[in-house]
Amino acid sequence: IYCNVPVAAKTIEKVGSVKQADVERILSLQPDLVFTSPLTNRRQVEQMKRLGLQVVLVGNPDTFDAMCWSFLKIGTRLGQTGRAQEMISAATKKVSVISDQIKQLDKPPVFFQIGMKPLYAVSRQTFMDEYIRLAGGMNIFSDERSGIISREMVIAKNPQVILIAVMGSSKASAKVEKKKWMTYTTMRAVQHHRVHVLDPETLCSPT
């Protein structure tokens, strides 16, 4: 119900969220395959299996390599192994090109905000943490286990770049967050106008 990318997702019938599905509706659509994630309600997963549906678990990737593996797994189950391999190869080459271009550049400390209440940062063992490294930055909260932080912690770490891609809220809310950060004029990111509101559909999706 939250998927807007690609454009075709807006017209496809919705059957629930990643955590809670409408099993009856899924049955009525007679799917050949049902893909689930570790977040999917386990009782519903078992119910779908008992009802004879082919259920495939796809993990939540925390690295680029894990994304590629998940993509290949999906492609294989769809009978499109070769096509999936081609797309993975193309994506891997793009990542390699970017890595080569930036490896000699300075690595700015980055704060990547993905939640507001509570204030939530990209922490370790997430694909977004790896995004920062692949893009040539250093995640200031890469050592944090939970991701729940305070504004005082951000100020103390004094990032050079602040990225705001707040999941589950509007861009207007993210812009309000930017205004809040811009009041902390001692931070380098604020002084150099490097506080950016980005699209969570792009930055927070392992695609």
Side-chain angles (χ1 to χ4, degrees), residues 162-174:
I162 295 176
L163 308 177
I164 306 169
V166 181
M167 297 188 290
S169 64
S170 66
K171 286 187 179 180
S173 298

Side-chain angles (χ1 to χ4, degrees), residues 116 151 164 171-181 197:
M116 294 186 295
R151 292 192 188 273
I164 306 169
K171 286 187 179 180
S173 298
K175 289 178 180 178
V176 170
E177 277 297 295
K178 178 177 178 177
K179 287 182 179 179
K180 289 180 182 178
W181 287 118
V197 173

Side-chain angles (χ1 to χ4, degrees), residues 62-108:
D62 55 9
T63 65
F64 178 71
D65 285 343
M67 289 182 209
C68 292
W69 184 87
S70 295
F71 197 76
L72 181 60
K73 181 178 182 179
I74 293 170
T76 299
R77 291 305 299 258
L78 296 176
Q80 299 288 338
T81 302
R83 178 66 178 138
Q85 289 174 330
E86 290 174 6
M87 297 174 76
I88 291 168
S89 178
T92 302
K93 287 178 182 177
K94 287 182 181 179
V95 170
S96 296
V97 168
I98 293 171
S99 296
D100 288 342
Q101 290 174 337
I102 65 176
K103 63 184 178 183
Q104 300 301 327
L105 301 178
D106 293 335
K107 293 179 171 55

Side-chain angles (χ1 to χ4, degrees), residues 172-200:
S173 298
K175 289 178 180 178
V176 170
E177 277 297 295
K178 178 177 178 177
K179 287 182 179 179
K180 289 180 182 178
W181 287 118
M182 293 303 291
T183 65
Y184 297 96
T185 55
T186 59
M187 285 197 297
R188 291 174 292 179
V190 174
Q191 292 171 354
H192 295 95
H193 304 284
R194 301 185 74 182
V195 181
H196 306 286
V197 173
L198 302 173
D199 182 6

Side-chain angles (χ1 to χ4, degrees), residues 10 20 26 71 104 129 139 150 155 189:
K10 296 178 181 179
Q20 196 73 24
I26 292 172
F71 197 76
Q104 300 301 327
D129 177 57
N139 181 8
S150 66
I155 295 166

Side-chain angles (χ1 to χ4, degrees), residues 122-125 129 133 139-145:
V122 166
S123 57
R124 65 180 177 181
Q125 294 182 323
D129 177 57
R133 291 197 303 276
N139 181 8
I140 63 173
F141 290 113
S142 62
D143 293 331
E144 289 292 321
R145 187 178 294 274

Side-chain angles (χ1 to χ4, degrees), residues 12 21 23 38 42 51 61-62 69 83 96 110 140 157 161-162 177 205:
I12 293 174
V23 176
R42 303 321 298 165
L51 292 169
D62 55 9
W69 184 87
R83 178 66 178 138
S96 296
V110 176
I140 63 173
K157 289 181 178 289
V161 180
I162 295 176
E177 277 297 295
S205 299

